[in-house]
Amino acid sequence: MDRPLRLVAANPLDRLARTLEALLVVASQPLPVEELAEAAAEDAERVEMALGLLAERFQEGRSGIVLERVAGGWAFRASREAADACGRLFERPVERGLSQAAMETLAVVAYLGPCSRPEIARLRGVAADSVVAGLVERGLIAEAGREDGGAVRYRTTPLFERVFGLESLSVLPRLDDLGDAEDIRERLESLAEKRPA
Amino acid sequence: MDRPLRLVAANPLDRLARTLEALLVVASQPLPVEELAEAAAEDAERVEMALGLLAERFQEGRSGIVLERVAGGWAFRASREAADACGRLFERPVERGLSQAAMETLAVVAYLGPCSRPEIARLRGVAADSVVAGLVERGLIAEAGREDGGAVRYRTTPLFERVFGLESLSVLPRLDDLGDAEDIRERLESLAEKRPA
Amino acid sequence: MPVPVRELELDLEAFEGPFDLLLALVLRDELDLGEVDVAGIVLAFLERLAEREELDLDACGEFLVLVAALLELKARALLTGEDGDLEDLDPAQAAEELARRLADYRRIKEAAAWLVDRLDEESDRYFRLGPAPLAPRVERRLAAQDPAELATALRALSAEPPAVSLAHLELRFPPVEQFLGRFRSLLARRTRFDFDTEVDGLTRVEQAVAFLALLELRKAGEIELSQASPFAPIRVRRNAETQTERTTTWTARSA
C-alpha cells in the first residue's frame, strides 16, 4: 500500500513547486517559508523540499531567473550573467552614489540595531541628519519608534538586506573579526610599557 | 558557409532566452519587444524567436510562471492553477497596529487639522515623506487642497474615522490640558527645534 | 631605506620623542591631546621626507594612518561634555575609554568598508523593487484602533524631552574632505598642478591638512606625486586611469 503512494508522490511535489514559482514571480519582496506554506496550504517541510527542487532549476548558468535566499525569505532575481542587459533597462536608484558617510551610517544602524541620529552622530563624530534622511528616502533604513529622549530611532529595512544580498542581518561579519583595532591598541600599549619609567 | 552558422545558432538563442527571462523577472511592467531587444543588444526578430521558446516553456499546466503577451508587451504572471495560493498571499492578514510614525502623523493631522508634509515634518521633527505616502496609500489620509505656499495639505478620511471608531473628529479624546490646537501646534514646533533630531 | 614613521623624532612644544611614544602616551592619558599640535607632527614628517632623495610612499601611507588615528583621538578627546564624566575617571580609565571609542569608530569604519565591498560584489544582482506587472493588488486591512492611542501619541510628542547635550554635534573632522574636493576639481580642469603653489598663502595647519588630502588621493590611485629634489616643489599629476566617480573618500584603513 505504501509503495504506489510513494511513486505518485513526485507529482504533487512538482505541483507544489509550480505553485511556489507562481507565488515567487508575483511577490514584491522575499517570501519566508512560512508565508509560502500558508499561501500554498502546505506544510513547511514539503515547501522546503519543493524550494530545493526550484533552487536547482533556477540557478546561475542554467536559467535567467535565479532563486535566492535573501532578507529572511526566498525571492527570484535576474541571473548575474544578464546584468549588462538589466543595466541597460533598469536603474539602480537605491544604491547609486552611496557616500562613505552613508555607508558608515548604514553600518552603525545594521550592527547596533535601532538607533537615533544623536547616537549615530556620536559614533561617527559628525552630525547625521542629511545622511539619515537620504537613507530613509532610499528605503534602506526606516523609523523604528522613539527613544526615551524623544529622538526617532532607525533600523535597516528588508530592502537593505536585499540590496546587499544578505540572508539576514546575522550574516554580517562580527565586528571583532573585521579590523585590527584591538591589535593597534595592544601594539601601542605594549610600546608604552617598554618605555623607560 | 551559411549552414554551419545556423547549426550553432541554437545555443546563442538559448542564451538570449535566458537574458529575456532575467529582464522579465525584474520588470515591473510589461516589456515591448523593442525594449527587450535593445536591452539584450539583439535584433527584434531574434528576440521574437526567443520569446516563442519562452512562451512554450512558461505556459499554463507546465509552469507556475506564465509568459503572457499583453497590451504593453510581454510579462510574467502567476499560473491560473495557482490562483488560490496567490489569493491567499495577497490577502494580507488584518494588521493589528500602526507604526509609531503613522500614529503620530495621524494624531497630528486629526487633532491639528489639515497639514502639509513640511508642516508634519516640522511638528514631528523628522522627515514625513514616506509616512505620509504610506497613509495616503492606505486611505487613512487624503489630499485636502493646498496651503498658501503651494504644498498639498492632508486631512483624515472617513476610513480613518471608521478604523478608530469615531463618529467624527469632534469626538476625539480630549486633550484639554494641552490647550487648543493652536497651543499644541506652537508647543510642538518649539519642542521639535529643541529635540535632538 | 624607508623612513621609519613610528620612530619619527618629534620636537613639539608639548612633547619631545618618537611618534609612537607620543601615541602611547596619549592612549595612557599621560599627555593631553589638546596640547598636541598635530600639524607640527605633519610638518616634522614632511621635513623628514624632504631629507630623502625620493618620496617614500609606503612611509606616507603609514604616517597617514597613524596621524588619522591621532586626529580621531583628538577629536574624540574634545567630546568630554557628551558622555559627561571623563574627568572623573582616573587616567588609566580615561585612556581605556578613549581607546574604546577609537576602537568603536574604527570598527564602524571597517564595517562600512565591508559593506562597500559587498555592494560592489552584489552590483550585478538585479531584482524587482515594485509589484509584479500582472500581480493582484494588495489590500491592506487594519484592525479597529483605539482613539486613545492618538491622544497618547500627541501627548508624548508634546512632552518636554530630557535635556540632551548637543556637544557632539559641534565636532567636525578637519576639512580633509574640503581639500579632497578642491584638488579633485582642480584635476578635473588640469592634468597637473604644483602643490606648493596651490597651498601658498594658507596657514601651516591648512597646509598640513592639504598634504593629508594629497596622500589620500595618492593612496586611492587618483594622482601621482613627484619631487625633483628635496625641498623642491611637489608636483601632482592626475592618474591616467582616474575614476571620475569616487564616492568612498577619506577612509582611514589600518596599515
Side-chain angles (χ1 to χ4, degrees):
Chain A
M1 193 61 201
D2 212 5
R3 302 206 86 207
L5 274 175
R6 281 216 184 141
L7 276 173
V8 295
N11 231 334
L13 195 61
D14 215 51
R15 193 192 150 94
L16 173 56
R18 287 204 303 276
T19 303
L20 298 180
E21 284 176 353
L23 291 168
L24 290 163
V25 85
V26 290
S28 39
Q29 46 212 332
L31 298 172
V33 170
E34 310 77 62
E35 216 173 308
L36 285 166
E38 207 171 304
E42 282 275 4
D43 60 49
E45 206 177 315
R46 276 174 52 77
V47 167
E48 299 257 25
M49 278 167 64
L51 284 168
L53 277 185
L54 291 176
E56 218 164 285
R57 190 177 316 160
F58 295 105
Q59 67 172 264
E60 292 285 353
R62 209 180 263 195
S63 157
I65 303 172
V66 171
L67 181 61
E68 71 175 351
R69 192 176 218 152
V70 72
W74 292 82
F76 281 142
R77 63 166 169 84
S79 64
R80 292 180 194 262
E81 177 189 52
D84 287 344
C86 289
R88 282 190 282 268
L89 196 55
F90 308 109
E91 274 194 89
R92 304 179 67 92
V94 174
E95 61 260 53
R96 210 184 39 211
L98 280 170
S99 64
Q100 175 69 21
M103 285 299 192
E104 284 179 19
T105 303
L106 271 177
V108 170
V109 179
Y111 274 97
L112 306 185
C115 51
S116 64
R117 276 182 280 184
E119 279 173 323
I120 297 166
R122 190 171 57 231
L123 268 161
R124 289 196 45 243
V126 286
D129 300 23
S130 65
V131 177
V132 165
L135 290 173
V136 170
E137 182 80 8
R138 289 167 194 257
L140 293 173
I141 63 174
E143 281 190 41
R146 285 180 190 271
E147 62 183 15
D148 292 344
V152 171
R153 295 209 286 193
Y154 298 86
R155 56 167 172 73
T156 53
T157 60
L159 179 63
F160 162 78
E161 289 170 39
R162 218 173 167 198
V163 166
F164 285 83
L166 305 171
E167 258 185 71
S168 73
L169 289 184
S170 63
V171 305
L172 288 170
R174 274 166 39 98
L175 282 177
D176 297 344
D177 300 341
L178 280 173
D180 52 356
E182 287 302 308
D183 181 58
I184 277 207
R185 200 181 100 200
E186 278 163 21
R187 208 176 76 196
L188 292 173
E189 279 176 353
S190 72
L191 251 166
E193 275 155 24
K194 276 188 232 152
R195 184 176 63 105
Chain B
M1 196 60 205
D2 212 2
R3 302 207 84 203
L5 275 174
R6 280 217 184 140
L7 275 173
V8 296
N11 233 335
L13 195 61
D14 213 53
R15 193 190 151 95
L16 172 56
R18 288 205 301 274
T19 302
L20 299 180
E21 285 176 353
L23 292 167
L24 289 164
V25 84
V26 175
S28 29
Q29 43 205 329
L31 297 172
V33 171
E34 309 79 65
E35 254 179 72
L36 285 167
E38 204 172 309
E42 284 275 6
D43 57 74
E45 204 179 316
R46 279 174 50 78
V47 168
E48 298 260 21
M49 277 168 65
L51 283 168
L53 272 186
L54 291 177
E56 217 165 285
R57 192 179 312 162
F58 295 108
Q59 67 173 267
E60 290 287 353
R62 207 182 263 194
S63 157
I65 304 171
V66 173
L67 181 61
E68 176 136 326
R69 179 178 230 147
V70 291
W74 292 82
F76 281 139
R77 65 166 170 82
S79 65
R80 275 188 268 283
E81 182 189 44
D84 287 349
C86 288
R88 281 189 291 268
L89 181 69
F90 282 89
E91 184 196 341
R92 302 267 85 173
V94 174
E95 283 168 64
R96 276 195 289 169
L98 288 160
S99 71
Q100 179 150 4
M103 193 64 88
E104 282 177 13
T105 305
L106 283 175
V108 165
V109 177
Y111 275 99
L112 307 183
C115 295
S116 67
R117 265 186 287 191
E119 253 181 300
I120 297 167
R122 202 164 57 240
L123 295 170
R124 289 190 57 230
V126 62
D129 295 18
S130 58
V131 187
V132 167
L135 290 172
V136 169
E137 193 204 308
R138 313 182 67 170
L140 294 169
I141 60 174
E143 293 190 15
R146 289 177 181 273
E147 63 183 14
D148 293 344
V152 174
R153 292 209 286 201
Y154 298 87
R155 56 167 173 74
T156 54
T157 60
L159 175 64
F160 163 82
E161 288 169 24
R162 225 167 33 246
V163 165
F164 281 85
L166 302 165
E167 272 168 51
S168 76
L169 290 184
S170 61
V171 299
L172 279 169
R174 306 187 62 108
L175 288 171
D176 292 342
D177 50 318
L178 296 181
D180 64 14
E182 211 33 58
D183 295 333
I184 298 177
R185 189 180 282 261
E186 272 171 33
R187 190 174 164 76
L188 289 186
E189 275 178 23
S190 74
L191 275 174
E193 276 165 27
K194 275 192 265 170
R195 184 178 289 128
Chain C
M1 203 183 88
V3 179
V5 171
R6 279 170 273 159
E7 288 163 37
L8 179 69
E9 278 295 324
L10 299 170
D11 185 7
L12 308 171
E13 236 169 75
F15 173 82
E16 209 182 312
F19 187 28
D20 228 358
L21 179 58
L22 173 102
L23 283 174
L25 289 177
V26 163
L27 278 178
R28 290 165 58 120
D29 212 32
E30 288 171 22
L31 184 62
D32 183 1
L33 249 183
E35 306 279 312
V36 177
D37 177 9
V38 179
I41 298 172
V42 175
L43 289 173
F45 181 68
L46 282 178
E47 278 165 27
R48 182 64 166 277
L49 274 183
E51 290 164 19
R52 311 219 58 85
E53 291 297 321
E54 56 193 53
L55 208 51
D56 183 346
L57 295 170
D58 285 339
C60 289
E62 188 179 7
F63 178 74
L64 176 60
V65 168
L66 290 174
V67 109
L70 195 65
L71 284 172
E72 282 175 18
L73 273 176
K74 183 164 180 174
R76 260 138 247 284
L78 300 174
L79 279 181
T80 44
E82 220 289 315
D83 296 275
D85 24 49
L86 274 189
E87 307 92 271
D88 300 343
L89 302 176
D90 67 45
Q93 284 171 321
E96 181 67 21
E97 173 63 18
L98 286 174
R100 191 186 60 75
R101 285 199 216 169
L102 172 59
D104 280 350
Y105 184 57
R106 288 183 57 88
R107 275 200 277 272
I108 292 302
K109 273 199 173 294
E110 292 289 345
W114 186 85
L115 286 177
V116 169
D117 289 346
R118 180 79 183 186
L119 194 57
D120 201 43
E121 284 163 27
E122 302 300 310
S123 62
D124 55 357
R125 268 174 63 258
Y126 278 81
F127 54 87
R128 179 162 38 73
L129 274 182
L134 305 175
R137 280 188 69 94
V138 192
E139 215 173 292
R140 293 170 75 189
R141 287 171 304 156
L142 186 60
Q145 301 292 309
D146 182 358
E149 294 279 327
L150 292 168
T152 310
L154 203 59
R155 206 180 281 284
L157 209 51
S158 38
E160 193 83 35
V164 177
S165 159
L166 292 176
H168 58 277
L169 292 180
E170 302 301 321
L171 177 63
R172 290 285 185 280
F173 278 107
V176 174
E177 290 276 6
Q178 185 191 312
F179 284 104
L180 283 174
R182 182 164 148 186
F183 290 154
R184 282 199 180 113
S185 66
L186 198 61
L187 287 168
R189 286 176 276 124
R190 292 153 49 180
T191 54
R192 60 186 68 209
F193 65 85
D194 189 313
F195 178 72
D196 300 59
T197 317
E198 226 21 73
V199 298
D200 192 36
L202 298 179
T203 66
R204 274 161 47 108
V205 173
E206 283 170 331
Q207 289 185 352
V209 177
F211 184 72
L212 285 179
L214 209 59
L215 290 179
E216 177 66 9
L217 287 174
R218 189 260 155 198
K219 200 162 150 244
E222 294 182 47
I223 57 167
E224 284 166 17
L225 301 177
S226 58
Q227 196 174 25
S229 63
F231 293 108
I234 298 175
R235 296 200 176 280
V236 183
R237 192 157 56 85
R238 184 171 66 203
N239 196 327
E241 292 149 49
T242 295
Q243 287 171 282
T244 45
E245 279 202 352
R246 281 193 66 89
T247 49
T248 53
T249 58
W250 186 227
T251 329
R253 284 167 195 271
S254 60

